[in-house]
Amino acid sequence: MKTIYFTDSEADLEKAAELIKKGKLVAFPTETVYGLGADALNEAAVKNVYKAKGRPCDNPMIVHISHFDDLKLLAEEIPEDASVLADRFWPGPLTMIMNKKPAVPKVTTGGLDTVAVRMPSDKVALKLIEKSGCAIAAPSANLSGKPSPTKWEHASKDLDGRIEGIIRGGDCQVGIESTVLDLTGEIPTILRPGIVTASELSEVLGKPVEMDRSLFAKIELKEPCYGEGSEAEDEDRDGGETEKASGMGPKSPGMKYKHYAPKGQMVIFQGDRAKVDLAVKERRQKAEAEGLQVKVIFFDDSREAARGFFKQLRDADDEGAELILAYALEENEVGFSVMNRMLKSAGYNVVQL
Ligand code: TXA
Ligand code: MG
């Protein structure tokens, strides 16, 4: 398949939107990461998203809308909390999970009765949704298991020849995926941490917001399946059910897969800064003396880390890094969200100092 590249001009966005309308796949920028978009209500189109990404069948998509009223087409009922949070955080990097309407195919929701919805703030994303007249299902535009794309070049590297279109937009300013908040239970619960933090959500709602407890556990990460598309309706779903039944697995199916993994071995150094500096230096010297290509990942602050972390991982691959030494971030607020990704990239390989 030949992938068509679009600019973000009005005329090009019209063309890209035409593709979406016809059930084709288009990668597009959002403020968080690039998304791989398809008409969320078109089963065949959504199945092709799983196929193009090599995405596990039980991993549901986030559905993107451009107007709050579009939510009525997707959610059975709109919880009061959703209206309050949308008022404050939409458009923006917050995804909310609600009970789905029957019109939303199960293939879009990975077989679940709930649907995840977000209104992105990126202007190009909003125009694409608006022009297509569809709610757009969009996972991150990477091959399953790879770091999420924060530049169009990343999406192109993974998906060129596998999808119909890619919009060459700007670089993503948030850089980590949206906060995923489950509103179907008694207490609003964060299933995936992001730039919108629990304390911000809790302040706006005026009540506690919980974190899914699996976010604090070391999860045994499963290999995502590549290649063939997977049937979301399949009953036999890759072990996820047993984990869920035992209450140990994450509530968000995507959180249990091996993710963001660079090609090289990755080690995180955590603890006293002076000790970390020394340990990184020594490890680097030793590895280089053995002839290994080494990359060090360090960020001054957590926002910068969010913006740059996935790019650093992809750069490491491009540079042929065989060993990646990363400085841990302080695990509060946004730092916690970046650490959630960093720990998975490194397969929880942490040196405590
Ligand atoms: O920032 C983002 O959210 C980006 C951009 C493109 O919007 N999208 C994104 O999609 O990160 P994806 O598919 O890579 O991650 C979606 C996450 C997965 O962990 C998935 O399991 C979870 O959201 N999710 C989606 N629907 C869900 C549902 N109904 N219940 C529980 N988790 C859900
Ligand atoms: Mg993803």
Side-chain angles (χ1 to χ4, degrees):
M1 173 188 309
K2 179 137 177 56
T3 302
I4 304 169
Y5 285 81
F6 298 103
T7 68
D8 54 13
S9 71
E10 294 289 331
D12 266 20
L13 293 180
E14 290 285 352
K15 290 183 202 151
E18 278 305 315
L19 286 181
I20 298 275
K21 264 188 221 172
K22 286 190 204 145
K24 310 291 185 202
L25 312 188
V26 178
F28 64 98
T30 83
E31 72 280 19
T32 56
V33 300
Y34 269 70
L36 173 55
D39 176 352
L41 305 188
N42 178 336
E43 272 193 50
V46 174
K47 274 187 182 165
N48 283 334
V49 174
Y50 286 94
K51 210 177 266 180
K53 281 191 57 124
R55 185 177 175 95
C57 51
D58 69 342
N59 194 357
M61 315 252 160
I62 293 175
V63 180
H64 298 67
I65 58 175
S66 55
H67 295 284
F68 183 78
D69 279 352
D70 299 342
L71 194 52
K72 293 181 188 145
L73 307 170
L74 307 168
E76 193 58 57
E77 66 187 297
I78 300 171
E80 173 64 17
D81 287 351
S83 304
V84 172
L85 292 174
D87 219 35
R88 167 67 181 77
F89 294 104
W90 277 3
L94 174 67
T95 294
M96 293 187 271
I97 295 176
M98 291 159 241
N99 290 319
K100 80 171 190 69
K101 274 231 158 103
V104 182
K106 284 239 176 163
V107 66
T108 304
T109 62
L112 300 173
D113 293 323
T114 54
V115 62
V117 187
R118 149 168 137 81
M119 189 194 294
S121 63
D122 184 280
K123 295 282 177 292
V124 175
L126 286 172
K127 280 185 197 167
L128 180 72
I129 300 165
E130 184 127 4
K131 286 179 192 296
S132 70
C134 305
I136 297 186
S140 48
N142 51 280
L143 283 174
S144 213
K146 299 272 181 208
S148 297
T150 55
K151 300 164 88 68
W152 69 263
E153 289 92 337
H154 299 161
S156 168
K157 180 152 195 196
D158 280 15
L159 298 172
D160 184 81
R162 298 174 75 90
I163 60 175
E164 281 82 7
I166 295 179
I167 298 173
R168 288 179 162 138
D171 296 351
C172 303
Q173 290 308 303
V174 172
I176 54 171
E177 308 88 338
S178 59
T179 303
V180 175
L181 182 71
D182 184 2
L183 293 177
T184 63
E186 284 283 291
I187 301 172
T189 304
I190 291 183
L191 306 187
R192 180 176 70 183
I195 205 116
V196 176
T197 62
S199 49
E200 286 176 288
L201 293 167
S202 166
E203 194 183 316
V204 171
L205 288 176
K207 63 181 181 187
V209 167
E210 281 187 351
M211 301 286 248
D212 185 22
R213 63 198 174 100
S214 74
L215 292 173
F216 301 97
K218 186 169 156 181
I219 301 161
E220 203 174 313
L221 300 173
K222 296 177 193 301
E223 286 290 339
C225 52
Y226 285 95
E228 278 311 294
S230 10
E231 300 295 317
E233 309 93 321
D234 270 5
E235 284 304 312
D236 185 18
R237 285 202 238 123
D238 206 15
E241 290 304 310
T242 28
E243 276 198 337
K244 249 180 262 163
S246 69
M248 294 303 287
K251 280 197 206 131
S252 181
M255 300 297 277
K256 70 171 178 282
Y257 289 105
K258 193 165 174 213
H259 216 165
Y260 317 125
K263 290 186 195 129
Q265 191 205 356
M266 181 163 163
V267 190
I268 299 170
F269 291 80
Q270 192 163 42
D272 176 77
R273 177 60 194 273
K275 287 184 187 162
V276 168
D277 278 338
L278 187 64
V280 168
K281 190 172 154 211
E282 283 176 359
R283 187 71 178 265
R284 176 181 203 151
Q285 282 170 349
K286 184 164 170 280
E288 285 178 346
E290 289 165 6
L292 291 180
Q293 180 78 27
V294 182
K295 184 175 180 72
V296 175
I297 296 185
F298 167 81
F299 293 102
D300 276 322
D301 70 81
S302 56
R303 292 262 162 174
E304 188 208 321
R307 192 158 47 239
F309 179 60
F310 289 142
K311 178 176 181 299
Q312 290 279 317
L313 288 183
R314 284 185 175 258
D315 287 351
D317 281 356
D318 293 345
E319 292 160 16
E322 293 160 294
L323 180 64
I324 301 162
L325 308 174
Y327 280 71
L329 297 159
E330 231 182 283
E331 287 185 87
N332 53 18
E333 304 283 323
V334 177
F336 176 81
S337 305
V338 182
M339 280 305 287
N340 170 270
R341 275 79 177 173
M342 197 184 274
L343 287 162
K344 287 186 185 181
S345 324
Y348 300 97
N349 191 3
V350 184
V351 174
Q352 294 287 353
L353 295 160

